[in-house]
Amino acid sequence: MTSTAPHDGRTFRIATIPGDGVGREVVDAGRAVLDEVARRSGFSLRWEELPWGSEYFGETGRMMPADGLEVLKGFDAIYFGAVGWPGVPDHVSLWGLRLAICQGFDQWANVRPVRFHPGVTSPLRKADSTELDWVVVRENSEGEYAGLGGRNLSAREGGEVAVQTSLFTEVGCERIIRFAFDLARSRDRKSLVSVTKSNAQQYGMVLWDEVFRRVAADYPDVETESVLVDAMAARFVLRPETLSVVVASNLNADILSDLGSALAGSLGLAASANLNPERRFPSMFEPVHGSAPDIAGQGIANPIGAVASGALMLDHLGEPEAAEMVRSAIDTVTASGTLTRDLGGTATTAEVTAALVAALDTASRRADREEIPATS
Ligand code: NAI
Ligand code: MG
């Protein structure tokens, strides 16, 4: 089955899982923007909303139905909000839904662009939206989130033990490293940095380093470097202009991508694509941030991370011009100063969403004008 074959009249079937907290607010915002760009671009998105998440857990004892993956299989893509809510342990909600989908659909490549936007103040003194832009490629199927281990000896009061094992396979390392090389090759700056902690983790991460060196031989046109994760954290802050594509294991890239989005101005900005590159299963698109219980329900969540994740979904569905229109609308809106509170503004989620829809109008009118040939 190819999960993204375009249908008659370019209709894409999208499953939405808004999930918990601000996930619901930003997914609604994303749908409004994506429907508008679809209308202007001549395709349509057929949404089906699935009410899975912590509330569903409260009612059924499960984060999604037992046949959840079967239900999702038939869709062209999945548009996800966030999961996690007080009352349900975080490991239960994460493993019961998001990780169950990522692993069940072998979405082994997690692409997380770090983009800087005009009009958004970064905590980096030298940040400039024209110079800084890099992509974190996260191994998304094994590593530290392989889910292997166990707990035992709880009868020894205060003496329980837990083992959490990281899993590194040569196949898993090679496919994500090749994916990152291909991405690096497609960019203006053809450079790839591999991030590990192989001085301390001498088995899995040394295997990763060896695979990186071996695969690098197939990409002589891409500049390469191997850096330890602690040094890379410092490099994100001190020399971000040297970064183009950064590839790292599941945990390390998870941490680095939150750092990247904070440097760009807010966790609310960052987009993410969980890809099954072979397209045997649907891929899933979601903002990097979580359910933000501290601001949920107030209508003030920043929708940009979810909207930009929608642009990544359009790229994946074969609609790159529409994706570009969405990205350009985001820059128009940030440059105009319509910003949510996390970016120092006062705009609500609804106001930013309306501004994004209006910016699509300007963008497409500008495109129309440019297409009209000069007659006089
Ligand atoms: P979080 O990302 O939800 O929030 C961290 C901080 O960023 C908070 O101060 C929040 O207000 C702010 N923030 C996040 N998104 C924002 C947005 N769109 N606009 C403005 N501000 C925003 O991370 P936290 O607090 O560690 O986790 C909350 C819950 O989310 C937990 O249950 C956690 O397990 C879950 N989570 C789920 C993820 C997912 O579904 N992919 C990813 C990360 C966390
Ligand atoms: Mg994270």
Side-chain angles (χ1 to χ4, degrees):
M1 182 187 73
T2 76
S3 58
T4 58
H7 304 270
D8 292 343
R10 281 153 73 220
T11 296
F12 300 101
R13 291 190 62 217
I14 314 292
T16 53
I17 307 176
D20 303 322
V22 299
R24 303 182 186 192
E25 300 164 50
V26 298
V27 159
D28 277 352
R31 281 178 59 167
V33 175
L34 294 176
D35 276 336
E36 179 65 14
V37 77
R39 194 178 66 76
R40 291 181 178 280
S41 308
F43 61 90
S44 61
L45 299 168
R46 213 160 80 222
W47 304 97
E48 194 168 314
E49 188 165 314
L50 302 164
W52 304 344
S54 296
E55 222 175 274
Y56 187 88
F57 183 89
E59 291 155 14
T60 66
R62 305 185 59 99
M63 292 298 292
M64 67 172 169
D67 67 346
L69 292 181
E70 277 308 308
V71 171
L72 291 173
K73 246 184 197 160
F75 287 89
D76 293 314
I78 304 161
Y79 191 51
F80 191 88
V83 277
W85 200 248
V88 183
D90 282 344
H91 66 276
V92 171
S93 51
L94 203 63
W95 276 102
L97 195 55
R98 185 185 169 276
L99 289 175
I101 296 169
C102 289
Q103 295 208 338
F105 285 163
D106 201 19
Q107 294 166 346
W108 51 267
N110 186 196
V111 176
R112 297 183 151 188
V114 179
R115 292 191 69 229
F116 289 69
H117 303 278
V120 175
T121 314
S122 160
L124 286 181
R125 217 174 345 117
K126 58 182 169 187
D128 173 339
S129 60
T130 62
E131 270 177 47
L132 295 184
D133 129 57
W134 69 94
V135 184
V136 176
V137 174
R138 170 186 181 193
E139 201 296 314
N140 212 30
S141 65
E142 48 180 59
E144 307 85 345
Y145 296 0
L148 299 175
R151 293 172 60 166
N152 209 346
L153 308 183
S154 59
R156 289 188 196 168
E157 223 163 283
E160 189 173 351
V161 296
V163 175
Q164 183 91 42
T165 307
S166 296
L167 174 78
F168 288 87
T169 68
E170 197 165 356
V171 168
C173 294
E174 174 153 356
R175 65 184 182 177
I176 195 66
I177 288 169
R178 276 196 191 279
F179 181 92
F181 267 109
D182 288 332
L183 180 64
R185 188 174 254 179
S186 75
R187 291 168 59 88
D188 291 342
R189 234 183 92 80
K190 299 183 190 347
S191 112
L192 175 63
V193 188
S194 161
V195 178
T196 57
K197 186 68 184 172
S198 44
N199 54 349
Q201 300 197 298
Q202 72 272 51
Y203 307 115
M205 297 222 166
V206 169
L207 175 65
W208 172 296
D209 283 351
E210 288 170 8
V211 173
F212 183 72
R213 279 198 296 275
R214 173 162 61 73
V215 173
D218 294 340
Y219 296 83
D221 52 323
V222 178
E223 210 180 290
T224 60
E225 219 183 321
S226 286
V227 175
L228 297 176
V229 66
D230 35 4
M232 186 48 103
R235 171 114 160 239
F236 264 42
V237 176
L238 298 175
R239 288 195 298 137
E241 70 282 0
T242 63
L243 303 172
S244 177
V245 180
V246 175
V247 63
S249 63
N250 219 328
L251 171 66
N252 286 337
D254 193 8
I255 298 170
L256 287 175
S257 51
D258 265 32
L259 176 58
S261 49
L263 293 174
S266 165
L267 223 52
L269 293 171
S272 145
N274 299 286
L275 300 175
N276 172 243
E278 300 87 1
R279 297 181 184 249
R280 282 176 54 228
F281 301 103
S283 293
M284 180 160 75
F285 302 84
E286 52 161 359
V288 166
H289 65 74
S291 59
D294 55 335
I295 59 161
Q298 299 177 36
I300 57 169
N302 190 340
I304 289 179
V307 170
S309 304
L312 293 173
M313 181 168 79
L314 296 179
D315 281 327
H316 184 73
L317 294 172
E319 301 290 346
E321 282 113 28
E324 230 12 78
M325 273 171 72
V326 171
R327 282 189 275 266
S328 129
I330 292 172
D331 283 347
T332 306
V333 169
T334 57
S336 76
T338 307
L339 303 173
T340 41
R341 243 175 35 182
D342 53 310
L343 297 176
T346 56
T348 62
T349 310
E351 283 163 354
V352 173
T353 307
L356 288 166
V357 168
L360 286 172
D361 181 51
T362 320
S364 64
R365 269 191 285 130
R366 201 185 305 128
D368 287 348
R369 260 206 316 279
E370 277 159 14
E371 269 167 36
I372 298 169
T375 50
S376 57

PDB file of all heavy atoms in Angstrom, residues 304-336:
ATOM      1  N   ILE A 304       2.145  28.500  15.664  1.00  0.00           N
ATOM      2  CA  ILE A 304       3.093  28.444  14.534  1.00  0.00           C
ATOM      3  C   ILE A 304       3.762  27.078  14.401  1.00  0.00           C
ATOM      4  O   ILE A 304       3.931  26.569  13.294  1.00  0.00           O
ATOM      5  CB  ILE A 304       4.119  29.593  14.635  1.00  0.00           C
ATOM      6  CG1 ILE A 304       3.403  30.906  14.315  1.00  0.00           C
ATOM      7  CG2 ILE A 304       5.291  29.378  13.673  1.00  0.00           C
ATOM      8  CD1 ILE A 304       4.266  32.145  14.391  1.00  0.00           C
ATOM      9  N   GLY A 305       4.126  26.441  15.530  1.00  0.00           N
ATOM     10  CA  GLY A 305       4.758  25.122  15.440  1.00  0.00           C
ATOM     11  C   GLY A 305       3.842  24.117  14.746  1.00  0.00           C
ATOM     12  O   GLY A 305       4.290  23.322  13.905  1.00  0.00           O
ATOM     13  N   ALA A 306       2.560  24.167  15.080  1.00  0.00           N
ATOM     14  CA  ALA A 306       1.603  23.244  14.459  1.00  0.00           C
ATOM     15  C   ALA A 306       1.384  23.595  12.986  1.00  0.00           C
ATOM     16  O   ALA A 306       1.299  22.713  12.128  1.00  0.00           O
ATOM     17  CB  ALA A 306       0.274  23.278  15.209  1.00  0.00           C
ATOM     18  N   VAL A 307       1.317  24.890  12.693  1.00  0.00           N
ATOM     19  CA  VAL A 307       1.100  25.316  11.301  1.00  0.00           C
ATOM     20  C   VAL A 307       2.316  24.937  10.451  1.00  0.00           C
ATOM     21  O   VAL A 307       2.186  24.409   9.333  1.00  0.00           O
ATOM     22  CB  VAL A 307       0.821  26.841  11.251  1.00  0.00           C
ATOM     23  CG1 VAL A 307       0.826  27.358   9.816  1.00  0.00           C
ATOM     24  CG2 VAL A 307      -0.510  27.156  11.921  1.00  0.00           C
ATOM     25  N   ALA A 308       3.516  25.167  10.982  1.00  0.00           N
ATOM     26  CA  ALA A 308       4.725  24.823  10.240  1.00  0.00           C
ATOM     27  C   ALA A 308       4.850  23.303  10.078  1.00  0.00           C
ATOM     28  O   ALA A 308       5.389  22.817   9.072  1.00  0.00           O
ATOM     29  CB  ALA A 308       5.955  25.390  10.952  1.00  0.00           C
ATOM     30  N   SER A 309       4.326  22.541  11.040  1.00  0.00           N
ATOM     31  CA  SER A 309       4.296  21.079  10.885  1.00  0.00           C
ATOM     32  C   SER A 309       3.349  20.706   9.749  1.00  0.00           C
ATOM     33  O   SER A 309       3.599  19.750   9.003  1.00  0.00           O
ATOM     34  CB  SER A 309       3.826  20.404  12.176  1.00  0.00           C
ATOM     35  OG  SER A 309       4.649  20.786  13.254  1.00  0.00           O
ATOM     36  N   GLY A 310       2.273  21.476   9.620  1.00  0.00           N
ATOM     37  CA  GLY A 310       1.353  21.267   8.490  1.00  0.00           C
ATOM     38  C   GLY A 310       2.060  21.513   7.163  1.00  0.00           C
ATOM     39  O   GLY A 310       1.829  20.802   6.176  1.00  0.00           O
ATOM     40  N   ALA A 311       2.969  22.500   7.128  1.00  0.00           N
ATOM     41  CA  ALA A 311       3.730  22.754   5.893  1.00  0.00           C
ATOM     42  C   ALA A 311       4.618  21.550   5.571  1.00  0.00           C
ATOM     43  O   ALA A 311       4.730  21.139   4.409  1.00  0.00           O
ATOM     44  CB  ALA A 311       4.567  24.035   6.036  1.00  0.00           C
ATOM     45  N   LEU A 312       5.227  20.953   6.600  1.00  0.00           N
ATOM     46  CA  LEU A 312       6.032  19.746   6.362  1.00  0.00           C
ATOM     47  C   LEU A 312       5.150  18.616   5.820  1.00  0.00           C
ATOM     48  O   LEU A 312       5.570  17.828   4.973  1.00  0.00           O
ATOM     49  CB  LEU A 312       6.722  19.293   7.660  1.00  0.00           C
ATOM     50  CG  LEU A 312       7.806  20.219   8.220  1.00  0.00           C
ATOM     51  CD1 LEU A 312       8.271  19.720   9.588  1.00  0.00           C
ATOM     52  CD2 LEU A 312       8.992  20.320   7.261  1.00  0.00           C
ATOM     53  N   MET A 313       3.897  18.563   6.298  1.00  0.00           N
ATOM     54  CA  MET A 313       2.970  17.541   5.805  1.00  0.00           C
ATOM     55  C   MET A 313       2.663  17.776   4.322  1.00  0.00           C
ATOM     56  O   MET A 313       2.622  16.831   3.533  1.00  0.00           O
ATOM     57  CB  MET A 313       1.681  17.560   6.636  1.00  0.00           C
ATOM     58  CG  MET A 313       0.659  16.513   6.223  1.00  0.00           C
ATOM     59  SD  MET A 313      -0.671  16.343   7.437  1.00  0.00           S
ATOM     60  CE  MET A 313      -1.700  17.760   7.060  1.00  0.00           C
ATOM     61  N   LEU A 314       2.487  19.047   3.943  1.00  0.00           N
ATOM     62  CA  LEU A 314       2.216  19.351   2.528  1.00  0.00           C
ATOM     63  C   LEU A 314       3.416  18.976   1.659  1.00  0.00           C
ATOM     64  O   LEU A 314       3.249  18.448   0.557  1.00  0.00           O
ATOM     65  CB  LEU A 314       1.860  20.837   2.364  1.00  0.00           C
ATOM     66  CG  LEU A 314       0.578  21.286   3.071  1.00  0.00           C
ATOM     67  CD1 LEU A 314       0.350  22.787   2.857  1.00  0.00           C
ATOM     68  CD2 LEU A 314      -0.633  20.497   2.581  1.00  0.00           C
ATOM     69  N   ASP A 315       4.641  19.233   2.158  1.00  0.00           N
ATOM     70  CA  ASP A 315       5.830  18.778   1.418  1.00  0.00           C
ATOM     71  C   ASP A 315       5.744  17.273   1.177  1.00  0.00           C
ATOM     72  O   ASP A 315       5.964  16.790   0.071  1.00  0.00           O
ATOM     73  CB  ASP A 315       7.116  19.037   2.239  1.00  0.00           C
ATOM     74  CG  ASP A 315       7.570  20.489   2.175  1.00  0.00           C
ATOM     75  OD1 ASP A 315       7.370  21.140   1.134  1.00  0.00           O
ATOM     76  OD2 ASP A 315       8.150  20.965   3.178  1.00  0.00           O
ATOM     77  N   HIS A 316       5.421  16.547   2.238  1.00  0.00           N
ATOM     78  CA  HIS A 316       5.381  15.092   2.161  1.00  0.00           C
ATOM     79  C   HIS A 316       4.285  14.601   1.211  1.00  0.00           C
ATOM     80  O   HIS A 316       4.434  13.573   0.557  1.00  0.00           O
ATOM     81  CB  HIS A 316       5.151  14.527   3.568  1.00  0.00           C
ATOM     82  CG  HIS A 316       5.173  13.030   3.648  1.00  0.00           C
ATOM     83  ND1 HIS A 316       6.325  12.305   3.551  1.00  0.00           N
ATOM     84  CD2 HIS A 316       4.167  12.123   3.785  1.00  0.00           C
ATOM     85  CE1 HIS A 316       6.041  11.006   3.635  1.00  0.00           C
ATOM     86  NE2 HIS A 316       4.742  10.880   3.787  1.00  0.00           N
ATOM     87  N   LEU A 317       3.173  15.358   1.132  1.00  0.00           N
ATOM     88  CA  LEU A 317       2.061  14.954   0.272  1.00  0.00           C
ATOM     89  C   LEU A 317       2.288  15.360  -1.186  1.00  0.00           C
ATOM     90  O   LEU A 317       1.432  15.139  -2.037  1.00  0.00           O
ATOM     91  CB  LEU A 317       0.751  15.573   0.787  1.00  0.00           C
ATOM     92  CG  LEU A 317       0.266  15.062   2.155  1.00  0.00           C
ATOM     93  CD1 LEU A 317      -0.921  15.889   2.654  1.00  0.00           C
ATOM     94  CD2 LEU A 317      -0.123  13.583   2.085  1.00  0.00           C
ATOM     95  N   GLY A 318       3.440  16.001  -1.442  1.00  0.00           N
ATOM     96  CA  GLY A 318       3.739  16.386  -2.828  1.00  0.00           C
ATOM     97  C   GLY A 318       3.142  17.734  -3.214  1.00  0.00           C
ATOM     98  O   GLY A 318       2.824  17.963  -4.378  1.00  0.00           O
ATOM     99  N   GLU A 319       2.962  18.614  -2.235  1.00  0.00           N
ATOM    100  CA  GLU A 319       2.434  19.956  -2.503  1.00  0.00           C
ATOM    101  C   GLU A 319       3.435  21.005  -2.000  1.00  0.00           C
ATOM    102  O   GLU A 319       3.128  21.810  -1.113  1.00  0.00           O
ATOM    103  CB  GLU A 319       1.065  20.144  -1.812  1.00  0.00           C
ATOM    104  CG  GLU A 319      -0.025  19.167  -2.223  1.00  0.00           C
ATOM    105  CD  GLU A 319      -0.521  19.400  -3.652  1.00  0.00           C
ATOM    106  OE1 GLU A 319      -0.222  20.478  -4.229  1.00  0.00           O
ATOM    107  OE2 GLU A 319      -1.183  18.506  -4.210  1.00  0.00           O
ATOM    108  N   PRO A 320       4.654  21.029  -2.556  1.00  0.00           N
ATOM    109  CA  PRO A 320       5.697  21.906  -2.012  1.00  0.00           C
ATOM    110  C   PRO A 320       5.401  23.396  -2.179  1.00  0.00           C
ATOM    111  O   PRO A 320       5.806  24.196  -1.341  1.00  0.00           O
ATOM    112  CB  PRO A 320       6.960  21.503  -2.796  1.00  0.00           C
ATOM    113  CG  PRO A 320       6.471  20.852  -4.034  1.00  0.00           C
ATOM    114  CD  PRO A 320       5.162  20.209  -3.670  1.00  0.00           C
ATOM    115  N   GLU A 321       4.661  23.773  -3.244  1.00  0.00           N
ATOM    116  CA  GLU A 321       4.376  25.211  -3.396  1.00  0.00           C
ATOM    117  C   GLU A 321       3.446  25.685  -2.288  1.00  0.00           C
ATOM    118  O   GLU A 321       3.619  26.768  -1.735  1.00  0.00           O
ATOM    119  CB  GLU A 321       3.735  25.519  -4.759  1.00  0.00           C
ATOM    120  CG  GLU A 321       4.737  25.547  -5.894  1.00  0.00           C
ATOM    121  CD  GLU A 321       4.500  24.404  -6.875  1.00  0.00           C
ATOM    122  OE1 GLU A 321       3.347  23.952  -6.993  1.00  0.00           O
ATOM    123  OE2 GLU A 321       5.488  23.960  -7.496  1.00  0.00           O
ATOM    124  N   ALA A 322       2.452  24.857  -1.981  1.00  0.00           N
ATOM    125  CA  ALA A 322       1.527  25.206  -0.902  1.00  0.00           C
ATOM    126  C   ALA A 322       2.294  25.280   0.422  1.00  0.00           C
ATOM    127  O   ALA A 322       2.064  26.175   1.247  1.00  0.00           O
ATOM    128  CB  ALA A 322       0.407  24.175  -0.816  1.00  0.00           C
ATOM    129  N   ALA A 323       3.238  24.365   0.616  1.00  0.00           N
ATOM    130  CA  ALA A 323       4.040  24.374   1.844  1.00  0.00           C
ATOM    131  C   ALA A 323       4.828  25.677   1.938  1.00  0.00           C
ATOM    132  O   ALA A 323       4.905  26.300   3.003  1.00  0.00           O
ATOM    133  CB  ALA A 323       4.986  23.176   1.851  1.00  0.00           C
ATOM    134  N   GLU A 324       5.395  26.100   0.834  1.00  0.00           N
ATOM    135  CA  GLU A 324       6.182  27.337   0.800  1.00  0.00           C
ATOM    136  C   GLU A 324       5.287  28.535   1.102  1.00  0.00           C
ATOM    137  O   GLU A 324       5.702  29.479   1.784  1.00  0.00           O
ATOM    138  CB  GLU A 324       6.822  27.482  -0.587  1.00  0.00           C
ATOM    139  CG  GLU A 324       8.300  27.781  -0.646  1.00  0.00           C
ATOM    140  CD  GLU A 324       9.097  27.653   0.639  1.00  0.00           C
ATOM    141  OE1 GLU A 324       9.414  26.501   1.002  1.00  0.00           O
ATOM    142  OE2 GLU A 324       9.426  28.678   1.269  1.00  0.00           O
ATOM    143  N   MET A 325       4.040  28.512   0.581  1.00  0.00           N
ATOM    144  CA  MET A 325       3.108  29.617   0.869  1.00  0.00           C
ATOM    145  C   MET A 325       2.844  29.711   2.374  1.00  0.00           C
ATOM    146  O   MET A 325       2.768  30.804   2.935  1.00  0.00           O
ATOM    147  CB  MET A 325       1.773  29.389   0.143  1.00  0.00           C
ATOM    148  CG  MET A 325       1.751  29.926  -1.283  1.00  0.00           C
ATOM    149  SD  MET A 325       0.250  29.398  -2.152  1.00  0.00           S
ATOM    150  CE  MET A 325      -1.003  30.402  -1.346  1.00  0.00           C
ATOM    151  N   VAL A 326       2.712  28.562   3.013  1.00  0.00           N
ATOM    152  CA  VAL A 326       2.454  28.562   4.461  1.00  0.00           C
ATOM    153  C   VAL A 326       3.666  29.131   5.193  1.00  0.00           C
ATOM    154  O   VAL A 326       3.537  29.981   6.083  1.00  0.00           O
ATOM    155  CB  VAL A 326       2.124  27.138   4.967  1.00  0.00           C
ATOM    156  CG1 VAL A 326       2.078  27.095   6.490  1.00  0.00           C
ATOM    157  CG2 VAL A 326       0.803  26.654   4.372  1.00  0.00           C
ATOM    158  N   ARG A 327       4.866  28.710   4.800  1.00  0.00           N
ATOM    159  CA  ARG A 327       6.072  29.210   5.485  1.00  0.00           C
ATOM    160  C   ARG A 327       6.228  30.701   5.282  1.00  0.00           C
ATOM    161  O   ARG A 327       6.608  31.441   6.192  1.00  0.00           O
ATOM    162  CB  ARG A 327       7.311  28.462   4.981  1.00  0.00           C
ATOM    163  CG  ARG A 327       7.441  27.070   5.600  1.00  0.00           C
ATOM    164  CD  ARG A 327       8.762  26.420   5.271  1.00  0.00           C
ATOM    165  NE  ARG A 327       8.725  25.742   4.006  1.00  0.00           N
ATOM    166  CZ  ARG A 327       8.445  24.437   3.840  1.00  0.00           C
ATOM    167  NH1 ARG A 327       8.203  23.684   4.889  1.00  0.00           N
ATOM    168  NH2 ARG A 327       8.425  23.886   2.646  1.00  0.00           N
ATOM    169  N   SER A 328       5.900  31.163   4.076  1.00  0.00           N
ATOM    170  CA  SER A 328       6.051  32.591   3.828  1.00  0.00           C
ATOM    171  C   SER A 328       4.988  33.381   4.604  1.00  0.00           C
ATOM    172  O   SER A 328       5.254  34.478   5.108  1.00  0.00           O
ATOM    173  CB  SER A 328       6.067  32.823   2.315  1.00  0.00           C
ATOM    174  OG  SER A 328       5.167  33.796   1.934  1.00  0.00           O
ATOM    175  N   ALA A 329       3.789  32.799   4.753  1.00  0.00           N
ATOM    176  CA  ALA A 329       2.753  33.464   5.562  1.00  0.00           C
ATOM    177  C   ALA A 329       3.217  33.587   7.020  1.00  0.00           C
ATOM    178  O   ALA A 329       2.994  34.612   7.674  1.00  0.00           O
ATOM    179  CB  ALA A 329       1.439  32.696   5.485  1.00  0.00           C
ATOM    180  N   ILE A 330       3.894  32.565   7.517  1.00  0.00           N
ATOM    181  CA  ILE A 330       4.393  32.619   8.906  1.00  0.00           C
ATOM    182  C   ILE A 330       5.362  33.791   9.054  1.00  0.00           C
ATOM    183  O   ILE A 330       5.267  34.594   9.998  1.00  0.00           O
ATOM    184  CB  ILE A 330       5.069  31.280   9.297  1.00  0.00           C
ATOM    185  CG1 ILE A 330       4.027  30.158   9.385  1.00  0.00           C
ATOM    186  CG2 ILE A 330       5.818  31.422  10.632  1.00  0.00           C
ATOM    187  CD1 ILE A 330       4.614  28.759   9.588  1.00  0.00           C
ATOM    188  N   ASP A 331       6.292  33.924   8.106  1.00  0.00           N
ATOM    189  CA  ASP A 331       7.266  35.019   8.194  1.00  0.00           C
ATOM    190  C   ASP A 331       6.589  36.384   8.073  1.00  0.00           C
ATOM    191  O   ASP A 331       6.972  37.345   8.745  1.00  0.00           O
ATOM    192  CB  ASP A 331       8.350  34.853   7.119  1.00  0.00           C
ATOM    193  CG  ASP A 331       9.363  33.779   7.511  1.00  0.00           C
ATOM    194  OD1 ASP A 331       9.356  33.364   8.689  1.00  0.00           O
ATOM    195  OD2 ASP A 331      10.158  33.350   6.645  1.00  0.00           O
ATOM    196  N   THR A 332       5.581  36.473   7.191  1.00  0.00           N
ATOM    197  CA  THR A 332       4.856  37.741   7.053  1.00  0.00           C
ATOM    198  C   THR A 332       4.210  38.124   8.385  1.00  0.00           C
ATOM    199  O   THR A 332       4.272  39.286   8.809  1.00  0.00           O
ATOM    200  CB  THR A 332       3.743  37.603   5.979  1.00  0.00           C
ATOM    201  OG1 THR A 332       4.335  37.136   4.779  1.00  0.00           O
ATOM    202  CG2 THR A 332       3.027  38.917   5.737  1.00  0.00           C
ATOM    203  N   VAL A 333       3.617  37.139   9.045  1.00  0.00           N
ATOM    204  CA  VAL A 333       2.895  37.422  10.289  1.00  0.00           C
ATOM    205  C   VAL A 333       3.864  37.776  11.424  1.00  0.00           C
ATOM    206  O   VAL A 333       3.633  38.747  12.157  1.00  0.00           O
ATOM    207  CB  VAL A 333       1.980  36.232  10.670  1.00  0.00           C
ATOM    208  CG1 VAL A 333       1.426  36.392  12.073  1.00  0.00           C
ATOM    209  CG2 VAL A 333       0.843  36.114   9.655  1.00  0.00           C
ATOM    210  N   THR A 334       4.961  37.040  11.543  1.00  0.00           N
ATOM    211  CA  THR A 334       5.899  37.389  12.629  1.00  0.00           C
ATOM    212  C   THR A 334       6.509  38.770  12.364  1.00  0.00           C
ATOM    213  O   THR A 334       6.621  39.580  13.273  1.00  0.00           O
ATOM    214  CB  THR A 334       7.018  36.337  12.802  1.00  0.00           C
ATOM    215  OG1 THR A 334       7.727  36.176  11.576  1.00  0.00           O
ATOM    216  CG2 THR A 334       6.459  35.005  13.259  1.00  0.00           C
ATOM    217  N   ALA A 335       6.837  39.039  11.097  1.00  0.00           N
ATOM    218  CA  ALA A 335       7.439  40.335  10.768  1.00  0.00           C
ATOM    219  C   ALA A 335       6.481  41.487  11.084  1.00  0.00           C
ATOM    220  O   ALA A 335       6.912  42.583  11.451  1.00  0.00           O
ATOM    221  CB  ALA A 335       7.847  40.370   9.291  1.00  0.00           C
ATOM    222  N   SER A 336       5.169  41.225  10.960  1.00  0.00           N
ATOM    223  CA  SER A 336       4.184  42.294  11.198  1.00  0.00           C
ATOM    224  C   SER A 336       3.982  42.545  12.688  1.00  0.00           C
ATOM    225  O   SER A 336       3.304  43.487  13.083  1.00  0.00           O
ATOM    226  CB  SER A 336       2.842  41.912  10.571  1.00  0.00           C
ATOM    227  OG  SER A 336       2.201  40.948  11.394  1.00  0.00           O
TER     228      SER A 336
END
